[in-house]
Amino acid sequence: MKRDIFQAIADPARRAMILLIAGGTVTQHALAEHFDMSQQAVAKHIGVLIDSALVKKTRTGREVSYTLEMQKLDELEQWIATFRSIWASRFDQLGELLTELKQENP
Amino acid sequence: MNTINSFQFRTDKEKRMIYVEKHFDASGPLVWRTWTEPDLLDKWWAPKPWKARTREMKFEKNGFWHYAMVGPEGECHWAIFNYNSIEPERGFSGSSAFTDEQRSSTDGPVSFWSTVFDSSAGRTRVKIDIAFEELAALETMIGMGFREGFESGLQNLDMLLPGLS
């Protein structure tokens, strides 16, 4: 099931997990040590991160580790940056238009 | 540095919100006109080099603004803003979506907008709060060429932006 990235980052524990994974804490066991919750609960949160494609799971022998999908986060940042630029451009034009209108109707 | 008119843009990803704010050196009634009259909206709504072209506007409760964003190569994205509430010269709210030339479907991503105007002594602050349903909506928007379309335009825009306040 594909999940929403916002749903993934809505939970404070998951936000902390994203930071830990980004910081290099990559096994489930190592992650669980940072949280006052069961291994099962940690696994569930990681499941949400994986479903939202924010985190990728890799298995090496018996060891399961996690890495961050930076591309997914970048996409979001890029979209937001684009949106910001659109508003900056709009407001520049609106400012010019208002100056013109004020001159026409002093 | 012109901080007094400075443009603010904040995001709250957890709440899926974008907050935009800007002051203008113009009276409340004048700024209100630029947001609510189609011929004036067409002059500024689209980021360069795109142009906004109003097809039809009914600025009233449960009314709509149906317009096209026309690109430099003539490419066209139809959009609609449906007005839910209007308080003259104070603000309006509604939802924004993609549609087609006939307004026959609005199955694209939807965002919910609240635009509020505050003015005093010939200056007006405009605050826009935009709520997105979910990232899936943003991804659809990106998939529909929104990002690519605007980015081609924004490459030119980037040269203009440093001059902005």
Side-chain angles (χ1 to χ4, degrees):
Chain A
M1 184 190 131
K2 195 173 175 302
R3 282 180 201 255
D4 184 332
I5 193 172
F6 285 102
Q7 193 183 343
I9 60 180
D11 185 279
R14 288 200 288 273
R15 288 203 294 277
M17 286 176 188
I18 291 169
L19 288 177
L20 289 166
I21 294 169
T25 307
V26 290
T27 65
Q28 187 180 312
H29 185 75
L31 269 179
E33 281 178 358
H34 293 271
F35 298 92
D36 189 16
M37 59 173 86
S38 66
Q39 287 276 348
Q40 239 175 344
V42 171
K44 211 169 170 180
H45 281 304
I46 294 173
V48 173
L49 295 176
I50 291 170
D51 288 345
S52 69
L54 268 175
V55 165
K56 201 169 74 181
K57 182 179 182 174
T58 38
R59 198 183 290 271
T60 321
R62 285 175 57 198
E63 187 88 87
V64 172
S65 59
Y66 303 100
T67 50
L68 207 57
E69 292 275 45
M70 288 311 292
Q71 199 203 330
K72 192 77 181 172
L73 280 177
D74 286 350
E75 263 175 37
L76 184 61
E77 291 305 327
Q78 208 175 342
W79 185 86
I80 289 170
T82 305
F83 208 70
R84 188 189 189 285
S85 305
I86 289 169
W87 278 104
S89 170
R90 269 181 186 156
F91 283 154
D92 187 35
Q93 294 171 156
L94 178 55
E96 286 170 17
L97 175 63
L98 285 166
T99 305
E100 279 173 36
L101 291 173
K102 278 197 291 185
Q103 283 163 355
E104 287 167 18
N105 317 285
Chain B
M1 190 172 71
N2 187 359
T3 53
I4 209 160
N5 286 338
S6 73
F7 162 53
Q8 288 187 40
F9 185 94
R10 283 191 307 115
T11 57
D12 185 331
K13 286 180 223 165
E14 288 79 44
K15 289 188 181 153
R16 307 166 198 186
M17 293 288 299
I18 289 178
Y19 307 94
V20 188
E21 188 177 327
K22 172 95 173 165
H23 283 80
F24 294 97
D25 286 317
S27 70
L30 190 62
V31 175
W32 175 259
R33 285 184 53 203
T34 60
W35 285 77
T36 57
E37 293 181 15
D39 53 329
L40 293 180
L41 268 168
D42 283 355
K43 288 185 177 164
W44 69 271
W45 184 252
K48 276 177 190 161
W50 290 65
K51 300 253 186 249
R53 275 197 211 128
T54 298
R55 171 80 182 251
E56 190 181 358
M57 187 187 207
K58 285 185 177 151
F59 188 69
E60 58 195 34
K61 188 177 161 64
N62 302 322
F64 61 88
W65 177 35
H66 182 211
Y67 63 98
M69 290 284 223
V70 184
E73 315 289 329
E75 62 271 45
C76 203
H77 294 287
W78 290 94
I80 190 158
F81 191 96
N82 291 297
Y83 299 103
N84 292 342
S85 71
I86 295 174
E87 266 191 84
E89 294 186 7
R90 296 283 315 261
F92 59 86
S93 68
S95 58
S96 171
F98 284 106
T99 184
D100 55 26
E101 197 172 354
Q102 280 74 39
R103 282 194 291 126
S104 51
S105 67
T106 53
D107 55 354
V110 177
S111 53
F112 301 92
W113 299 49
S114 160
T115 307
V116 175
F117 302 79
D118 277 303
S119 64
S120 71
R123 285 172 49 74
T124 304
R125 182 184 67 179
V126 185
K127 279 178 73 177
I128 308 126
D129 294 354
I130 307 169
F132 292 90
E133 278 181 320
E134 52 185 15
L135 188 76
L138 303 190
E139 287 175 336
T140 312
M141 204 178 264
I142 292 165
M144 284 173 80
F146 179 87
R147 190 171 79 188
E148 290 77 4
F150 279 111
E151 267 180 2
S152 61
L154 288 168
Q155 285 168 358
N156 305 327
L157 185 64
D158 278 341
M159 289 184 279
L160 297 171
L161 286 176
L164 295 179
S165 58

